[in-house]
Amino acid sequence: MNTHKVLLAALLAPLGASLALAPAASAVTPPAPPAAAAPAQAAVVAGPDEAVAAAFRSPEAALGRVAHPLRTTEPRGDLADLRPFGRMVGDARVVGLGEASHSSHEFFTVKHRVLRYLVEERGFRAFALEAPWSTGLRLDAYLVRGEGDLKQIMDEEFQGTYRWWNNAEYRDLFQWIRAYNVRHPDDPVRFVGDDSGFAGAALYDKVNAYAASARPDLAPQLAELYRGLRPAADAETYVNDYLSKPLAERKELAERTGRVVNLLRQRPATGADADAYAWAVQHATAIHQMATLFAFDWDDPRSTPDLMLYRDRVMAENVAWWQRQTGDKIVLAAHNGHISRKTYIPGVYPRVQGDFLREQLGSGYLSVGLTFDHGSFNAFGTDGAVHRFTVGPAAPGTAEHTLDRVRYRDFVVDLRNAPTAARAWLAAPHTVKNIGATYPGIADAPQIRLSESYDAVIHLQRVEAAHMLK
């Protein structure tokens, strides 16, 4: 892979983050069975009362007292077991749902299940994903109004490093949203693409159409500033060609897209025109976000922290903008490293999306990490091709090793009300699985403090690779 493709892969995951617990294995190698739960009482030779007390001093036993079991990870069926999670959500307006790998079946289906519950029981009305803003608009048009063909949209929009979203699990989630919207045409569930890795042709058309209608004096100037930028090729080809341009040219393009935003902002619309104006500015902002992201020096590793900081900041800004503009409560899907309240890898990711959202929304943002003990996932290998990898049970001392010894197979636990016996463990650094778009990654697995990173955790004992469609 060339430098540009390596960094494009990094856009979908904490850069270089890898699993440094068990080595990657072939897809045909079954994972080892999980180790037996640590016999907390076995080492206790005192009386039964002291044995019980010692057991409750262990973090896994303490967490087991407040954890809530999940009936299933599949989206269909009764949702009563998610009611404790609903209480954890409280008044949050954005719920970030993470994933420890980008392509595992259960992470996608749990998100589908949680979305279903939050839509049906808690009034949530949007699903946001690490996907371009223009992709979000196209999918939203299908989900709300039935425009286009879902397979074609997914094939065309989920290309390059976004290919992980072109899977059967998300297809089922989108089909559920569409069916819900057919039944509730006046109160639909919307889709938001919050990322900046591409700006599709529709964005340019929408900005130019707004200018032609509301600001005809600006229309020729905006058309000239956008000259040569509107995509005429598929997303992957367009991005690779764009990043092949000299850095000076990419910076000049970003200056041009920024001028469009500034020109539109010079005369804010009011009254009945305010909504159309706000959307036009946001569409122009999304174009500028892509141009700005690509104006960093992608060939210089020293620019990586600034590039990643910018990307996470604008992802948070796009989610917060949608929430303010529409009033929708949002389920946000992204990698654990993005939805976390604190960065996993400060040297590469100075701040992350969840950090910015907590700053902007306060307690209106809830961060939920998704972890697993063992299983499989899809990822790019070191040869640049997609492979199915399998990892065995987590090693002692890791976060997942302890979580997997909580008394339930799959569960959700609120870290904010953890018993005293678990608080010190939650506040201490532990190695976590952090599998990105490429496996193995190019950096050591991070150590994080769970209570600083998440408000709640959903832990799954085992996951299987997602079913990719293309």
Side-chain angles (χ1 to χ4, degrees):
M1 298 174 77
N2 59 30
T3 304
H4 293 157
K5 288 186 177 180
V6 170
L7 280 170
L8 279 172
L11 278 180
L12 277 179
L15 181 67
S18 64
L19 173 63
L21 305 178
S26 164
V28 299
T29 304
Q41 288 108 331
V44 180
V45 294
D49 291 342
E50 293 181 12
V52 171
F56 279 104
R57 286 197 295 269
S58 72
E60 58 266 36
L63 290 172
R65 293 162 57 192
V66 293
H68 300 275
L70 297 179
R71 181 184 62 82
T72 179
T73 58
E74 295 303 307
R76 305 297 187 266
D78 186 75
L79 300 174
D81 56 313
L82 287 176
R83 288 173 186 158
F85 179 73
R87 292 191 291 271
M88 298 176 201
V89 170
D91 295 328
R93 303 189 298 280
V94 176
V95 173
L97 293 178
E99 58 200 22
S101 80
H102 269 314
S103 190
S104 291
H105 170 85
E106 287 78 6
F107 289 147
F108 295 136
T109 57
V110 162
K111 290 179 185 185
H112 183 169
R113 194 163 189 262
V114 169
L115 173 70
R116 209 188 118 210
Y117 171 79
L118 292 177
V119 166
E120 294 178 354
E121 303 294 334
R122 302 302 300 251
F124 278 64
R125 287 299 180 268
F127 182 75
L129 180 64
E130 279 183 85
W133 184 261
S134 54
T135 297
L137 296 178
R138 189 176 179 191
L139 257 173
D140 187 61
Y142 168 78
L143 297 173
V144 175
R145 298 183 295 277
E147 296 178 8
D149 175 77
L150 180 60
K151 180 181 185 303
Q152 180 180 1
I153 294 170
M154 293 179 71
D155 286 347
E156 293 178 356
E157 296 294 335
F158 296 145
Q159 296 187 21
T161 50
Y162 295 109
R163 74 183 65 191
W164 308 117
W165 310 152
N166 196 0
N167 60 65
E169 292 81 3
Y170 269 160
R171 178 194 60 196
D172 291 347
L173 182 151
F174 297 144
Q175 289 174 337
W176 179 84
I177 294 177
R178 177 61 190 146
Y180 181 92
N181 289 344
V182 169
R183 297 192 306 271
H184 305 85
D186 297 326
D187 188 24
V189 176
R190 310 290 300 276
F191 182 86
V192 186
D194 63 36
D195 207 353
S196 53
F198 178 64
L203 292 184
Y204 298 87
D205 297 341
K206 289 177 181 295
V207 175
N208 286 329
Y210 172 81
S213 173
R215 295 292 307 278
D217 55 311
L218 279 185
Q221 190 174 357
L222 299 193
E224 177 60 24
L225 289 170
Y226 280 155
R227 179 175 48 83
L229 276 165
R230 185 183 184 278
D234 65 86
E236 188 170 18
T237 300
Y238 177 87
V239 170
N240 285 330
D241 289 346
Y242 197 113
L243 287 170
S244 297
K245 300 178 188 294
L247 179 60
E249 182 179 351
R250 303 202 308 265
K251 288 184 175 181
E252 189 269 335
L253 291 172
E255 189 275 334
R256 283 164 48 187
T257 59
R259 285 172 60 192
V260 172
V261 176
N262 291 335
L263 286 168
L264 289 172
R265 285 177 173 165
Q266 286 177 3
R267 193 188 301 174
T270 58
D273 299 326
D275 188 65
Y277 167 78
W279 283 96
V281 171
Q282 176 61 19
H283 298 332
T285 298
I287 294 171
H288 182 52
Q289 288 170 351
M290 182 206 72
T292 303
L293 186 74
F294 291 166
F296 286 91
D297 188 350
W298 285 48
D299 294 315
D300 184 353
R302 294 173 298 180
S303 71
T304 300
D306 291 336
L307 186 158
M308 296 303 178
L309 175 67
Y310 178 77
R311 182 199 175 210
D312 270 71
R313 179 169 63 81
V314 300
M315 287 198 297
E317 288 176 352
N318 289 337
V319 170
W321 183 90
W322 185 286
Q323 205 287 312
R324 290 192 306 269
Q325 181 67 22
T326 67
D328 292 339
K329 292 196 286 187
I330 302 170
V331 173
L332 166 64
H335 195 279
N336 279 343
H338 290 304
I339 61 92
S340 172
R341 300 198 323 262
K342 188 171 182 179
T343 179
Y344 274 29
I345 313 170
V348 176
Y349 279 76
R351 294 181 68 187
V352 290
Q353 184 178 18
D355 184 359
F356 287 112
L357 285 171
R358 177 54 63 90
E359 180 180 72
Q360 295 183 49
L361 301 176
S363 61
Y365 175 66
L366 185 83
S367 174
V368 184
L370 270 65
T371 61
F372 76 105
D373 180 68
H374 63 277
S376 60
F377 52 89
N378 303 305
F380 291 121
T382 54
D383 59 357
V386 174
H387 297 277
R388 182 176 183 269
F389 297 96
T390 298
V391 294
T398 63
E400 294 88 358
H401 184 267
T402 296
L403 291 172
D404 208 54
R405 278 148 183 77
V406 171
R407 59 177 175 159
Y408 303 116
R409 173 186 174 89
D410 300 325
F411 62 88
V412 58
V413 59
D414 192 333
L415 305 186
R416 298 167 297 182
N417 67 354
T420 302
R423 289 176 191 166
W425 182 81
L426 291 169
H430 298 283
T431 302
V432 294
K433 291 184 176 75
N434 193 45
I435 300 157
T438 300
Y439 182 82
I442 58 175
D444 292 336
Q447 287 203 339
I448 69 165
R449 303 173 192 271
L450 285 172
S451 58
E452 290 185 359
S453 300
Y454 305 115
D455 299 303
V457 164
I458 294 174
H459 179 73
L460 309 179
Q461 185 181 81
R462 177 175 178 150
V463 299
E464 294 292 334
H467 302 92
M468 297 182 67
L469 295 176
K470 187 174 182 180

